[in-house]
Amino acid sequence: QLGYMIGITDGLGISILGEIGYAHDTFAFSIDGSAMEAGNGAPRMTLSQSFESIQIGLLPKVNIGAFAIGIGGGVKIPMASTINVKYGDTDAGSLKLNMNDIGTMYSTALIGYIKGTFDYSIF
């Protein structure tokens, strides 16, 4: 994070921070085999997808004494992804995707995010 702090009064200020970094996110869901059509006795199916992304955002903060409270957001740009499928305890396979594959698979290839922070400075 890189930014600038504007001092309003002694012990009170506002910071505007830009951030850029790496993010690893995994999204997963599973369904019981008996819930699927004609799935009597079928094992649980689990599907997970992980993304390796570049994260770019903006984070404004209010600084009060040694504390800072912020709320911000931005976008994650997926660079690569892996999809894993599992039936019960058996791996059914995985698929690796690049940026072009991700762009084809999803209507928008960006992941939005919001975040809140609460910091304390010991200096």
Side-chain angles (χ1 to χ4, degrees), residues 63-68 118-123:
N63 305 291
I64 305 166
F67 295 93
F118 181 74
D119 302 321
Y120 177 75
S121 176
I122 59 173
F123 298 106

Side-chain angles (χ1 to χ4, degrees), residues 30-111:
S30 61
I31 187 168
D32 191 20
S34 61
M36 294 186 282
E37 187 175 332
N40 297 337
R44 176 174 285 285
M45 182 181 85
T46 304
L47 176 72
S48 65
Q49 184 167 12
S50 60
F51 294 94
E52 312 302 329
S53 307
I54 300 295
Q55 176 176 314
I56 302 170
L58 188 64
L59 179 63
K61 289 184 180 181
V62 175
N63 305 291
I64 305 166
F67 295 93
I69 300 169
I71 196 163
V75 295
K76 295 178 183 179
I77 305 163
M79 306 301 283
S81 180
T82 303
I83 298 173
N84 294 303
V85 179
K86 195 173 183 181
Y87 291 105
D89 293 330
T90 305
D91 287 328
S94 65
L95 176 64
K96 295 192 181 292
L97 306 172
N98 61 29
M99 279 183 78
N100 293 332
D101 298 331
I102 295 167
T104 302
M105 184 177 280
Y106 295 99
S107 60
T108 180
L110 299 175
I111 303 169

